[in-house]
Amino acid sequence: MKQRLARLLGVGAAAIALTLGGTLIPAAPPAEAATLFDPGNNMAKTPPLGWNSYNIFGGTFFPQYNDCSLPSCIPLNETRVKEVAQAMIDNGLRDKGYRSINIDDRWQDPRVPRGTDGKLRWDDRRFPSGMPALATWLHDRGFKMGLYVLPNDRPCGGEEGPTNKPGWPSGLPETSSMGHEYVDAQTFADWGADYLKFDWCGVNETHTNGQAGTVFKKWNQAIQASGRNIMVAASTWGWESEQNWGPQYAHTWRIDGDVGPNWNDVLKTLDKGSTATLRSASGPTKGWNDFDTLQVGNPGLTPAENRTHFMMWAMSNSPLMLGNDVRSMTPDIASLIGNTEILSVNQDTLGEQAWLAKNTGGLQVWARSLQDGSKAVALVNRTGSTANITANFSDIFLGSTSGAVRDLFAQADRGVSTTGYTASVASHDTVILRVIPARSTEAESGTLAGGAAIQNCATCSGGKNVGYVGNNSGTATVTVNAASAGNHALTVFFNSGDDRSVQVSVNGAAPITLSALNSGGWSQVGQRSIPVTLNSGNNTIRFSNGAGQWAPDLDRVTIHRTP
């Protein structure tokens, strides 16, 4: 949620200093390496995953959820939050990492925002059991509880706020935390909160433009004093040069305005968040660019747009906060947001944010490196019609002329490709791949015996292949070098116009027979992969065949590491 009321949207001049709690704080924050209470960013080594209440229970995007038994017909309440959490247990989302249940605006009591003790009060019409009890309920089920906070002095919206306060708009409750940072941080800690989303409403009225670093430093100090580690999510909408202070005072920081359930919002936020300046601010020891709560599964996006939205938030290392009704989502949406191979990209410990490798008239190739040396690649079609998109391995800096390709959405291997990979991508859709560098060895570079011979082959790698292997005589032995010991895929590239077989022996072990090898013609190149265990360093691969049986002509072999 952000600047929804027009009176909160003006652009004010940046203040030089800000008085908070009676203390004058310099505008420029000190250069601490990370949040004061979590200097190693240990709470967010990877982007947080969870669910946020605002999209469906905030009363803005989807009025069909309205519940007029509650104030202003806003449907947020304790029962619905618990239903969502239970659904996430039942459909497996919790166990796939979606652990943070974040309660957005309207949990506060607008009638009497603070008690006589000065502490914020929850709205007992919505949360009759109270926040401590709800936190306990969530913790007992393996979730973390998040709460919405207003760090300035004006909320984004209201319902029953005071009408007699000078200069205070009617209907705006005094639910903000400005000047109450220490007491509110302690209150949230006492309730058992694990995550706080700070919304930047009221920035113009309080003249905090350009002062986010000072505001969030104060909150860091207050959370540190509370004694409880609480994740800080700064929702400052990209107004505050977040890259300059976010890594010092927040675990995540919003880089743009709210993303609605429409295609243009998805593209606008993707483009803004992927600038070099913001990309360099993000990482495991720093924190994460927050592209906003997901609209995946909500009315307004097509199935293709849902896929692009989710895949590109994952590629960009944004926190993945679901904003749909997980109690009643379709099987397609459940499969998409629960796809563990796509989630593994978002949660990869290297933490590199995707970069735009190629853009040709709205046909885009995005790439990022992964911890194991492979690349995650997204082929994005922003145009109005289906098109082929090619990821050249040189464009994504694969470090190899060959790569083993896996389609993460389909969870299917697509073979080993040379120089690049092409896919047909529907309008507004995305194909997300994992490309593993393959070490390639030409068959003609090996040791040949028993009549095996090098031949010209215009369609083969290097323009040659090896023929006359087999018939209980011809052999070809190549040496492949593995970077590390363990499981690998060995892919044999061959030419054959009929069904043939070959025996493959790795480091002198009993041979494995590959049968029915037919590439569709002697000038065509086919491939077949088998799992093998390799030693670190050099390994010998010997090709042979029995009496009266010829092997196909051999072009080359590749190896790539597998789990």
Side-chain angles (χ1 to χ4, degrees):
M1 186 176 59
K2 62 175 174 66
Q3 56 280 42
R4 293 192 303 274
L5 299 180
R7 54 184 151 72
L8 298 178
L9 289 174
V11 178
I16 296 174
L18 170 68
T19 299
L20 294 176
T23 302
L24 188 67
I25 299 177
E32 278 90 355
T35 47
L36 299 182
F37 55 93
D38 184 21
N41 199 45
N42 292 314
M43 296 181 66
K45 288 294 188 185
T46 60
L49 310 180
W51 175 88
N52 181 281
S53 67
Y54 177 64
N55 284 355
I56 60 169
F57 296 148
T60 298
F61 289 122
F62 306 112
Q64 64 266 36
Y65 285 99
N66 284 358
D67 179 354
C68 291
S69 68
L70 293 165
S72 299
C73 299
I74 303 298
L76 176 67
N77 72 0
E78 176 182 315
T79 297
R80 293 185 175 92
V81 170
K82 289 182 175 181
E83 288 173 353
V84 164
Q86 187 59 52
M88 292 172 71
I89 295 172
D90 296 340
N91 59 32
L93 290 175
R94 178 199 62 182
D95 293 339
K96 290 179 178 180
Y98 293 97
R99 294 296 181 99
S100 190
I101 300 293
N102 297 334
I103 303 165
D104 214 283
D105 198 13
R106 304 305 178 105
W107 64 262
Q108 316 94 323
D109 191 337
R111 303 162 298 182
V112 184
R114 293 186 181 273
T116 56
D117 56 2
K119 296 179 180 180
L120 281 169
R121 301 175 68 251
W122 61 80
D123 190 337
D124 57 14
R125 297 165 297 183
R126 299 181 185 277
F127 297 92
S129 300
M131 288 304 172
L134 180 56
T136 297
W137 189 93
L138 290 170
H139 292 161
D140 287 348
R141 287 157 179 80
F143 291 104
K144 299 179 183 297
M145 185 179 79
L147 289 174
Y148 174 94
V149 185
L150 290 159
N152 296 313
D153 82 334
R154 306 290 172 97
C156 290
E159 52 203 51
E160 303 155 295
T163 58
N164 57 357
K165 183 177 179 179
W168 194 270
S170 177
L172 278 189
E174 297 180 68
T175 52
S176 61
S177 290
M178 189 173 189
H180 304 276
E181 291 82 8
Y182 279 86
V183 67
D184 287 357
Q186 189 62 58
T187 297
F188 299 143
D190 292 344
W191 290 354
D194 306 287
Y195 178 110
L196 297 176
K197 172 187 172 181
F198 294 87
D199 209 349
W200 203 229
C201 302
V203 56
N204 297 311
E205 287 78 4
T206 53
H207 304 293
T208 46
N209 309 80
Q211 297 298 307
T214 61
V215 172
F216 283 94
K217 180 187 178 185
K218 181 93 171 188
W219 272 101
N220 270 234
Q221 294 167 331
I223 292 171
Q224 187 175 41
S226 78
R228 182 177 179 84
N229 283 352
I230 303 175
M231 192 174 294
V232 174
S235 185
T236 46
W237 320 320
W239 283 18
E240 296 289 326
S241 299
E242 285 79 5
Q243 70 275 4
N244 293 336
W245 55 268
Q248 286 78 48
Y249 299 128
H251 294 92
T252 72
W253 46 88
R254 282 276 297 279
I255 51 81
D256 203 2
D258 285 7
V259 173
N262 66 79
W263 178 239
N264 288 336
D265 275 10
V266 171
L267 296 184
K268 177 173 70 73
T269 301
L270 173 62
D271 291 342
K272 182 173 181 182
S274 300
T275 60
T277 299
L278 283 169
R279 284 184 64 251
S280 66
S282 173
T285 62
K286 302 172 184 177
W288 308 103
N289 294 315
D290 183 355
F291 284 32
D292 197 19
T293 301
L294 290 156
Q295 292 284 0
V296 173
N298 289 329
L301 293 171
T302 68
E305 291 165 354
N306 276 321
R307 287 189 288 272
T308 296
H309 184 12
F310 184 73
M311 292 176 187
M312 293 312 297
W313 262 229
M315 285 284 291
S316 301
N317 275 344
S318 173
L320 298 181
M321 293 296 165
L322 304 174
N324 64 312
D325 192 344
V326 297
R327 302 170 302 174
S328 58
M329 59 186 170
T330 66
D332 285 348
I333 294 300
S335 177
L336 175 63
I337 64 179
N339 185 309
T340 54
E341 296 195 40
I342 299 175
L343 288 173
S344 71
V345 172
N346 179 260
Q347 297 293 294
D348 185 74
T349 55
L350 185 63
E352 180 181 274
Q353 184 175 326
W355 47 277
L356 182 60
K358 185 168 68 174
N359 184 18
T360 307
L363 304 178
Q364 297 183 329
V365 177
W366 295 75
R368 57 176 286 184
S369 299
L370 301 177
Q371 183 66 47
D372 65 358
S374 64
K375 301 282 185 178
V377 179
L379 310 179
V380 182
N381 184 354
R382 297 169 68 149
T383 75
S385 57
T386 298
N388 286 338
I389 303 178
T390 298
N392 296 312
F393 294 158
S394 58
D395 292 335
I396 64 172
F397 304 109
L398 183 65
S400 172
T401 57
S402 298
V405 180
R406 182 169 175 82
D407 185 320
L408 301 187
F409 175 71
Q411 298 185 324
D413 291 328
R414 302 303 189 201
V416 174
S417 294
T418 302
T419 72
Y421 181 81
T422 300
S424 176
V425 186
S427 171
H428 293 191
D429 210 343
T430 293
V431 171
I432 187 169
L433 309 168
R434 183 177 180 182
V435 183
I436 305 171
R439 297 186 173 211
S440 183
T441 304
E442 297 294 333
E444 61 268 24
S445 71
T447 300
L448 310 182
I454 298 173
Q455 308 173 131
N456 291 327
C457 173
T459 57
C460 294
S461 171
K464 297 182 183 299
N465 66 16
V466 172
Y468 301 100
V469 171
N471 199 26
N472 207 31
S473 176
T475 64
T477 303
V478 298
T479 300
V480 298
N481 187 276
S484 60
N487 297 330
H488 288 72
L490 171 70
T491 301
V492 180
F493 290 79
F494 61 90
N495 310 88
S496 179
D498 51 46
D499 287 351
R500 295 206 172 184
S501 63
V502 67
Q503 292 181 319
V504 183
S505 173
V506 178
N507 292 328
I512 302 168
T513 299
L514 304 183
S515 302
L517 300 179
N518 189 335
S519 63
W522 292 100
S523 62
Q524 304 297 315
V525 179
Q527 60 178 273
R528 178 77 62 83
S529 296
I530 55 172
V532 296
T533 301
L534 299 180
N535 302 321
S536 177
N538 288 337
N539 298 261
T540 59
I541 312 294
R542 182 176 185 271
F543 296 93
S544 62
N545 217 340
Q549 299 182 53
W550 291 106
D553 295 344
L554 303 175
D555 176 13
R556 64 190 173 105
V557 297
T558 64
I559 58 169
H560 66 269
R561 188 65 192 264
T562 58

